[in-house]
Amino acid sequence: MKPSKTNTLTKALYLVKEMNYRAMPIRIIAKELNVTDRTAYRYLKAIKESGIPVSQNLFGNYSVSLPKPKKRKARRI
C-alpha cells in the first residue's frame, strides 16, 4: 500500500518544525518519523529542494534555520 501524500507532507512539516529547534542525527529523524534512514534522507532532500535551508554541523546533525518573521507595527482599529 502506497503512503498518502498528506501523511508524507505532515511528516515533512513536523521534521522542519523539530529541526528548527534542535539539530538531529539521521537515526533520530528516522525514529521520530517511524521511517527508515533512507526515507529520512529523502525527506531531507525534498525539504532542501523546496527552498528551506537545511544545514549539517560537524557532528553530522541536521538542522533548519528558518528566519524569524518580521515584526509589524500594530495598527489601531
Side-chain angles (χ1 to χ4, degrees), residues 14-64:
Y14 173 78
L15 179 60
V16 169
K17 183 185 79 142
E18 287 297 313
M19 288 174 42
N20 194 29
Y21 293 114
R22 62 187 169 119
M24 300 178 1
I26 198 69
R27 288 188 178 152
I28 298 299
I29 292 170
K31 187 176 180 182
E32 289 270 331
L33 300 176
N34 294 324
V35 296
T36 63
D37 290 357
R38 183 176 176 188
T39 303
Y41 281 118
R42 283 191 207 121
Y43 285 144
L44 285 175
K45 183 180 176 185
I47 291 168
K48 285 179 188 177
E49 288 175 353
S50 68
I52 298 173
V54 176
S55 59
Q56 187 177 17
N57 66 12
L58 295 173
F59 302 107
N61 298 334
Y62 293 92
S63 65
V64 172

Side-chain angles (χ1 to χ4, degrees), residues 64-75:
V64 172
S65 54
L66 295 175
K68 292 184 180 180
K70 295 178 183 177
K71 288 193 174 187
R72 297 185 302 168
K73 188 175 181 180
R75 291 190 293 170

